[in-house]
């Protein structure tokens, strides 16, 4: 040990010998005193009994010891009153009992009976000055209760009466409260006063001040304070390092915190579990799993076992950065290391599994927590209730809520909110409204989030009157609707073709001082465009700019779409130019609106140019763009171009929708004369769609069925077998029975995806001879558009089928002969 510090070690005080004239108050005597005082209402002899237990002369110190031995302040008051009256009868001086009154103050302080303590202070005789220790106890109790002004008053009284602040252990409680409440000037003033007194500030005092500086991000100031106090009643230890490390981490400087960890070793301070816990906690917030693993490795080297807080941090980080399944490994490590998980551990995993939709595993974890005699709380049940509601398991959610209440946890607004949100997501809005009524019965008022969720759900269900009623209820309950609520209502009315009410809500919103944002203005502009009121839409956009809201992609795209629907391409292009000029890039929806506009007026050349330009801008066309172009080209009798776009669509793995298929079937059948008379030019590649359709029609097959078969074959050759099978069902539902060519097309699909053995699921058990001939004849046509390996596989299946057919036919021939 440093010789510089040896003189500062305080020698042990000599043991105080008991005074034979004032024997101590033993536990037996204390219990006897309590029994007498409790029975004073029914025992008229209680004063004599007390006199026997506390014979005269009763000194102030002896009385104070008796008062201190009582745990109930209500018994201490009559004891002091008895001593005063008893002393008066014996003609003893009863006015100078400061120790007894101070003991009473300490009892009242510990019981937080502040009104009684104030009354006791006021009623103390002038000669009975409260001791410094009793005032310190009161100051500490006030500080612990968060009453800093009263704690400060007690400290001031101690300074006035005794010339010094309360002892450090009491003053520190006020110092800590001032720091927690960011009352930096008051904290610094108190700390300096403590320093000015001998023994007035200790290690803890300095540590509190350093912690305060670190909370403000002033870690360097904290270091300088430690250096200034080094040896002067302050011996730095690992707690100081933990505070400084936490300070660096709190201001985001984890690198400096890690350097300080290394500095500890150099200066001979061994990091503790708390040190690593602080670092791992902050690294967990950043999601730095690699560094966390490194620190855990250091802990193993130092033979420090992670505590439950560290394990919980690691589990939480894994849940957020990777998956709940990987976080389960932490729980297994805890079991293996003998560290018992707490309810926070299980709550972290339950919440993570619920977010991932694995409610079953979350329920298992809840049951495991209960089996381990941990007490589940609202944080255990709330994510589960939300999760099972989203799955539509309302009864299970109800059972969990009842179970939670049975464990003594009253559902709060968060729990009810989870239940309501889950029900709305599951589409059960009526049930969500019933839950809201149950909340009211329990006097738990919904917050703005719950109202928002309910109103959004009602709007999606087109239950707009009920949504309006909820807004009225919100206002009556003094829960102010926000922009989200009003915007949701406006959008709901517009979707329901009710522009009038949407406009009223928009105006009412502004009257209430809730000014719409970009989303709100966009909803209103969308409504005007939907009803063809383009002038109003432009005026709304102008109001939007005046309000300081900058139009975005959605604003421009909505206006462009509105103009294209009216066939006003020039206006749409004007806004497109303005959009680009204002550095707002057109998106896929903008292009689909413009392409649709050009196709609507029959200008497919410009529509194709836009399609090409869109791709050059790095935007990928979707099913909408392809469908619009295919439909527009078929209307202009441009069959080969439409077929090329369909081929391009399938090559890009873009699956056609019902509208695409409708355009293709109608387009092929309506353009049949031009298809039959046309020949492939140099500018157009041979199309499987047109080639197969033409070949089928040439064979005299039904045009509509042939169109479906050509599309089914095109899907199959691009490995879209599921879509082809789905189209076969739709074809049958529309009254077009699948024919042998349909089954042949699907057979190519099975062979393309290398599932040739599954052909029996679509081919009938037997064909007629004529149907078999049709299949074999068109196989040659189909082979031109598939790989040789696929055509060979199809040929093998057909050969097998023909052999089976012949084996069935042969016995029939013999029977007829």
């Amino acid at each position: 040990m440093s010789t510089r510090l040896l003189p500062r070690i305080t020698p042990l005080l000599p043991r105080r010998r008991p005074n034979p004239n004032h024997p101590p108050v033993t536990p037996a005597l204390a219990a006897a005193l309590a029994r007498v005082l409790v029975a004073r209402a029914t025992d008229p002899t209680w004063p004599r009994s007390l006199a026997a237990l506390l014979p005269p002369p009763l000194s102030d110190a002896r009385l104070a010891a008796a008062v201190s031995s009582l745990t109930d302040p209500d018994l201490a008051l009559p004891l002091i009153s008895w001593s005063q009256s008893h002393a008066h009868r014996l003609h003893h001086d009863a006015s100078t009992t400061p120790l007894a009154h101070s003991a009473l103050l300490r009892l009242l302080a510990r019981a937080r009976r502040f009104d009684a303590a104030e009354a006791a202070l006021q009623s103390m005789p002038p000669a009975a000055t409260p001791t410094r220790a009793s005032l310190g106890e009161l100051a500490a109790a006030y500080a612990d209760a968060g009453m800093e002004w009263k704690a400060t008053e007690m400290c001031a009284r101690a300074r006035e009466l005794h010339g010094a602040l309360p002892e450090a252990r009491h003053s520190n409680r006020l110092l800590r409260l001032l720091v927690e409440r960011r009352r930096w000037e008051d904290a610094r003033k108190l700390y300096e006063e403590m320093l000015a007194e001998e023994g007035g500030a200790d290690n803890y005092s300095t540590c509190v001040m350093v912690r305060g500086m670190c909370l403000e991000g002033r870690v360097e100031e904290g270091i300088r304070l430690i250096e200034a106090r080094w040896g002067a009643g302050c011996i730095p230890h690992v707690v100081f390092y933990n505070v400084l490390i936490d300070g660096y981490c709190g201001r985001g400087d984890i690198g400096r915190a890690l350097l300080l960890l290394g500095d500890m070793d150099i200066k001979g301070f061994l990091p503790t579990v708390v040190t690593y816990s602080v670092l791992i906690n902050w690294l967990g917030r950043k999601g730095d799993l690699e560094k966390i693993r490194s620190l855990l490795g250091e802990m193993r080297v130092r033979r420090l076992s992670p505590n439950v807080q560290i394990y919980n941090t690691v589990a939480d980080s894994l849940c957020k950065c990777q998956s709940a399944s990987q976080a389960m490994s932490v729980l297994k490590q805890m079991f293996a290391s003998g560290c018992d998980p707490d309810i926070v551990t299980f709550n972290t995993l339950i919440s993570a599994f619920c977010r991932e939709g694995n409610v079953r595993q979350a329920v298992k974890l809840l049951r495991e927590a209960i089996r381990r005699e941990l007490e589940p709380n609202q944080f255990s049940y709330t994510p589960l209730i939300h999760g099972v509601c989203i799955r539509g398991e309302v009864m299970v959610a109800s059972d969990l809520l009842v179970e939670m209440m049975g464990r003594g946890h009253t559902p709060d607004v968060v729990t009810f909110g989870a239940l309501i949100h889950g029900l709305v997501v599951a589409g059960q809005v009526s049930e969500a409204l019933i839950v809201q009524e149950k909340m009211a019965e329990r006097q738990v008022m919904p917050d703005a989030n719950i109202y928002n969720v309910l109103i959004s759900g009602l709007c999606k269900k087109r239950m707009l009157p009920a949504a309006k009623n909820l807004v009225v209820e919100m206002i009556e309950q003094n829960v102010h609707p926000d922009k989200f609520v009003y915007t949701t209502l406006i959008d709901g009315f517009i979707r329901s073709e009710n522009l009038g009410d949407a406009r009223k809500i928009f105006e009412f919103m502004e009257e209430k001082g809730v000014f719409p944002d970009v989303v709100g203005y966009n909803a209103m502009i969308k409504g005007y465009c939907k009803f063809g009121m383009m002038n109003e839409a432009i005026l709304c956009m102008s109001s939007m700019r005046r309000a300081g809201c900058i139009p975005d992609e959605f604003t421009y795209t909505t206006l462009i779409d509105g103009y294209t629907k009216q066939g006003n391409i020039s206006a749409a292009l004007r806004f497109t130019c303005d959009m680009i000029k204002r550095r707002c890039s057109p998106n896929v929806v903008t292009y689909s609106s413009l392409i649709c506009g050009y196709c609507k007026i029959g200008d497919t050349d410009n529509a194709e140019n836009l399609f090409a330009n869109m791709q050059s801008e790095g935007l990928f066309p979707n099913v909408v763009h392809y469908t619009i172009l295919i439909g527009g080209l078929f209307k202009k009798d441009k069959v080969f171009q439409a077929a090329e776009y369909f081929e391009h669509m399938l090559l890009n793995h873009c699956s056609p929708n019902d509208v695409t298929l409708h355009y293709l079937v109608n387009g092929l059948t309506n353009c049949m004369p031009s298809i039959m008379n046309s020949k492939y030019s140099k500018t157009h590649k041979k199309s499987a769609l047109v080639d197969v359709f033409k070949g089928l029609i040439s064979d005299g097959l039904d045009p509509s069925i042939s169109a479906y078969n050509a599309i089914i074959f095109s899907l199959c050759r691009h490995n879209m077998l599921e879509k082809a099978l789905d189209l076969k069902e739709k074809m049958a539902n529309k009254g077009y029975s699948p024919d042998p060519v349909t089954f042949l097309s699907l057979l190519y699909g099975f062979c393309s995806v290398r599932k040739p053995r599954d052909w029996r699921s679509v081919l009938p058990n037997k064909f007629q001879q004529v149907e078999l001939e049709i299949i074999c004849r068109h196989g040659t046509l189909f082979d031109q558009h598939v790989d040789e390996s696929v055509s060979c596989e199809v040929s093998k299946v057909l050969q097998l089928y023909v052999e089976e057919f012949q084996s069935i036919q042969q016995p029939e021939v013999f029977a007829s002969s």
Side-chain angles (χ1 to χ4, degrees):
M1 183 179 288
S2 172
T3 54
R4 189 165 62 88
L5 294 178
L6 281 174
R8 298 184 181 277
I9 299 174
T10 306
L12 290 173
L13 293 173
R15 188 183 297 272
R16 185 177 294 174
R17 295 179 181 178
N19 189 337
N21 297 321
H22 302 293
V25 177
T26 62
L29 177 56
L33 288 170
R35 281 195 300 273
V36 171
L37 291 165
V38 167
R40 68 187 185 281
T42 55
D43 182 8
T45 64
W46 69 272
R48 287 198 301 275
S49 300
L50 279 181
L53 292 170
L54 297 171
L58 184 60
S59 68
D60 186 20
R62 178 74 167 157
L63 178 60
V67 170
S68 297
S69 70
L70 300 171
T71 56
D72 186 353
D74 289 332
L75 300 181
L77 282 165
L79 178 59
I80 291 176
S81 298
W82 166 83
S83 71
Q84 289 174 333
S85 62
H86 188 61
H88 183 72
R89 283 196 302 273
L90 296 174
H91 305 290
H92 293 162
D93 185 8
S95 61
T96 55
T97 54
L99 297 179
H101 278 86
S102 296
L104 173 62
L105 284 178
R106 287 198 297 273
L107 279 180
L108 292 169
R110 289 166 192 165
R112 297 213 179 172
R113 298 273 297 277
F114 297 126
D115 290 341
E118 281 294 323
L121 271 173
Q122 297 295 330
S123 63
M124 284 180 73
T129 303
T131 62
R132 181 185 173 208
S134 64
L135 291 171
E137 288 262 11
L138 261 178
Y142 277 126
D144 291 345
M147 301 164 70
E148 78 241 27
W149 68 96
K150 292 300 295 182
T152 304
E153 183 185 315
M154 290 302 114
C155 287
R157 184 174 290 198
R159 192 188 307 109
E160 179 187 339
L161 294 174
H162 301 284
L165 287 168
E167 297 173 24
R169 62 192 178 96
H170 294 140
S171 297
N172 282 341
R173 310 264 271 278
L174 174 58
L175 185 66
R176 184 182 63 191
L177 178 64
L178 292 171
V179 167
E180 285 173 358
R181 294 192 170 175
R182 309 292 200 270
R183 299 275 299 275
W184 305 120
E185 290 304 316
D186 292 336
R188 184 176 291 280
K189 182 180 175 184
L190 177 60
Y191 180 67
E192 286 173 355
E193 286 182 20
M194 292 171 72
L195 288 177
E197 298 177 3
E198 187 176 352
D202 57 12
N203 254 23
Y204 185 80
S205 316
T206 304
C207 198
V208 167
M209 289 302 295
V210 171
R211 190 182 298 278
M213 291 168 181
C214 289
L215 285 172
E216 285 277 283
R218 300 177 355 236
V219 187
E220 288 76 14
E221 278 188 53
I223 294 171
R224 286 196 294 272
L225 178 61
I226 295 170
E227 290 171 349
R229 291 285 298 148
W230 186 288
C234 172
I235 304 171
H237 49 73
V238 69
V239 176
F240 281 97
Y241 277 96
N242 292 346
V243 170
L244 293 170
I245 286 169
D246 189 43
Y248 276 128
C249 290
R251 76 179 194 190
D253 198 348
I254 294 180
R256 293 288 295 275
L258 291 168
L259 286 173
L260 203 55
L261 177 67
D263 191 46
M264 288 179 74
D265 269 341
I266 297 169
K267 294 192 175 173
F269 293 101
L270 294 176
T272 64
V273 173
V274 175
T275 316
Y276 285 103
S277 181
V278 168
L279 280 163
I280 289 170
N281 175 54
W282 286 100
L283 287 166
R285 295 186 191 189
K286 289 174 66 70
D288 193 341
L289 289 171
E290 185 178 345
K291 194 61 192 174
I292 287 173
R293 290 190 187 99
S294 173
L295 289 177
L296 289 172
E298 275 188 37
M299 289 185 73
R300 280 193 295 272
V301 171
R302 294 181 183 275
R303 297 187 178 180
L304 291 173
S305 299
N307 58 19
V308 68
Q309 286 78 24
I310 290 176
Y311 279 119
N312 288 347
T313 299
V314 176
D316 185 57
S317 300
L318 284 168
C319 288
K320 288 174 181 174
C321 301
Q322 295 182 4
S323 69
S325 300
Q326 286 177 298
M328 280 291 288
S329 63
V330 176
L331 191 62
K332 293 174 184 175
Q333 286 176 28
M334 292 178 79
F335 294 151
S337 66
C339 178
D340 292 326
D342 59 12
I343 196 61
V344 175
T345 318
F346 283 97
N347 287 353
T348 301
L349 292 167
I350 287 168
S351 181
F353 276 113
C354 287
R355 282 196 304 271
E356 293 178 6
N358 192 349
V359 180
R360 184 174 296 178
Q361 181 61 40
V363 172
K364 285 182 182 177
L365 284 164
L366 175 68
R367 299 301 164 219
E368 177 63 18
I370 294 169
R371 191 185 71 77
R372 290 180 168 273
E373 298 183 352
L374 295 172
E375 184 57 41
N377 52 34
Q378 286 165 301
F379 299 105
S380 315
Y381 286 99
T382 298
L384 275 172
I385 289 167
H386 185 257
V388 296
C389 279
I390 289 176
R391 288 162 58 99
E393 299 173 7
V394 182
M395 290 307 297
V396 177
S398 178
D399 291 343
L400 285 167
L401 186 63
V402 171
E403 181 183 325
M404 173 183 157
M405 292 164 64
R407 290 185 170 275
H409 299 291
T410 304
D412 60 6
V413 69
V414 178
T415 311
F416 278 119
L419 182 57
I420 287 169
H421 183 265
L423 289 168
V424 169
V425 170
Q428 301 186 41
V429 182
S430 299
E431 289 80 357
L433 289 170
I434 293 169
V435 173
Q436 187 216 355
E437 291 173 7
K438 297 292 182 186
M439 285 182 73
E441 290 174 9
R442 291 182 166 272
Q443 297 183 337
V444 180
M445 297 312 301
D447 60 8
N449 289 329
I450 290 177
Y451 278 115
N452 288 351
V453 168
L454 284 169
I455 290 166
S456 177
L458 289 166
C459 287
K460 285 176 183 174
K461 290 279 187 180
R462 306 292 172 91
M463 298 166 68
L464 295 168
K468 282 176 72 176
N469 290 339
L470 271 185
V471 174
V472 173
E473 182 184 315
M474 280 183 82
I475 295 168
E476 288 174 351
Q477 296 295 336
N478 205 28
V479 179
H480 301 291
D482 57 14
K483 288 179 280 193
F484 176 83
V485 172
Y486 288 116
T487 303
T488 302
L489 268 177
I490 290 165
D491 187 63
F493 278 113
I494 287 167
R495 288 176 188 274
S496 300
E497 312 286 331
N498 189 344
L499 182 63
D501 276 346
R503 184 185 281 179
K504 286 177 185 176
I505 291 166
F506 191 79
E507 292 168 355
F508 178 75
M509 175 182 181
E510 291 182 322
E511 287 173 14
K512 288 292 180 182
V514 181
F515 298 102
D517 57 7
V518 176
V519 180
Y521 278 109
N522 283 347
M524 206 62 231
I525 290 168
K526 176 185 170 185
Y528 287 128
C529 291
K530 186 174 183 178
F531 287 88
M533 301 166 67
M534 299 309 298
N535 289 336
E536 285 81 354
I538 299 300
L539 287 172
C540 191
M541 186 181 186
S542 299
S543 300
M544 178 182 183
R545 283 202 174 104
R546 283 197 300 273
C549 293
I550 300 170
D552 59 7
E553 292 174 11
F554 186 89
T555 318
Y556 282 106
T557 300
T558 303
L559 287 165
I560 291 163
D561 187 60
Y563 278 117
T564 56
K565 280 185 169 65
Q566 291 184 345
N568 191 345
I569 293 295
S570 59
L573 288 173
R574 192 167 62 250
F575 273 97
T576 306
C577 291
D578 188 47
M579 181 181 187
I580 296 167
K581 182 182 174 182
R582 293 180 183 273
R583 297 181 181 180
C584 191
S585 301
N587 56 26
V588 289
V589 182
T590 317
Y591 277 103
S592 66
S593 297
L594 289 168
I595 291 167
C596 183
Y598 275 118
C599 287
K600 192 170 186 176
I601 62 173
D603 189 352
T604 54
D605 291 340
N606 269 320
E608 288 186 83
N609 289 337
L610 272 172
F611 187 87
N613 185 57
M614 172 188 172
Q615 293 176 90
S616 68
E617 293 290 332
L619 297 172
F620 296 99
N622 58 33
V623 64
V624 176
H625 303 96
Y626 284 113
T627 300
I628 293 167
L629 262 180
I630 289 167
L633 289 166
F634 269 126
K635 281 181 185 177
K636 296 290 288 182
D637 213 17
K638 295 181 177 180
V639 180
F640 292 110
Q641 289 98 315
E644 279 182 22
Y645 278 106
F646 181 57
E647 186 76 18
H648 190 269
M649 180 181 186
L650 300 182
L651 281 168
N652 285 325
H653 308 288
C654 182
S655 182
N657 59 22
D658 288 346
V659 180
T660 322
L661 297 171
H662 172 76
Y663 281 160
L664 286 166
V665 172
N666 284 358
L668 289 170
T669 52
N670 292 337
C671 298
M672 189 172 65
S674 60
I675 291 172
M676 297 305 295
N677 297 326
S678 65
K679 292 183 180 179
Y680 288 103
S681 65
K682 292 180 180 179
T683 57
H684 298 300
K685 295 179 182 179
K686 193 171 184 180
S687 166
L689 178 74
V690 177
D691 196 40
V692 169
F693 178 73
K694 187 175 181 179
L696 297 177
I697 295 299
S698 300
D699 207 32
L701 298 177
D702 180 88
S704 295
I705 296 175
S706 297
Y708 274 109
N709 286 340
I711 298 166
I712 288 171
F713 174 71
S714 294
L715 290 168
C716 285
R717 68 187 286 266
H718 286 285
N719 300 331
M720 292 187 178
L721 179 60
E722 292 298 323
K723 192 70 182 177
L725 289 167
D726 183 50
L727 182 57
K728 179 195 133 217
E729 296 301 320
K730 288 177 180 176
M731 171 184 173
N733 293 335
K734 288 183 177 289
Y736 300 108
S737 299
D739 64 3
V741 179
T742 313
F743 298 116
L744 176 64
S745 302
L746 290 169
L747 179 57
Y748 275 88
F750 281 112
C751 292
S752 293
V753 297
R754 298 182 180 180
K755 293 182 179 179
R757 295 180 182 178
D758 293 348
W759 61 271
R760 292 185 185 276
S761 63
V762 292
L763 292 175
N765 290 329
K766 64 177 183 176
F767 282 117
Q768 298 298 321
Q769 182 67 40
V770 177
E771 294 173 327
L772 197 58
E773 290 173 0
I774 292 171
I775 290 173
C776 294
R777 187 164 62 248
H778 289 98
T780 307
L781 172 64
F782 287 11
D783 283 345
Q784 298 174 28
H785 301 283
V786 295
D787 292 340
E788 187 178 347
S789 60
V790 175
S791 62
C792 289
E793 200 65 52
V794 171
S795 179
K796 288 178 186 177
V797 173
L798 287 176
Q799 183 64 36
L800 177 65
Y801 190 83
V802 168
E803 288 173 2
E804 288 183 4
F805 177 79
Q806 289 175 346
S807 66
I808 293 169
Q809 291 292 318
Q810 205 169 15
E812 293 178 358
V813 172
F814 287 136
S816 61
S817 62

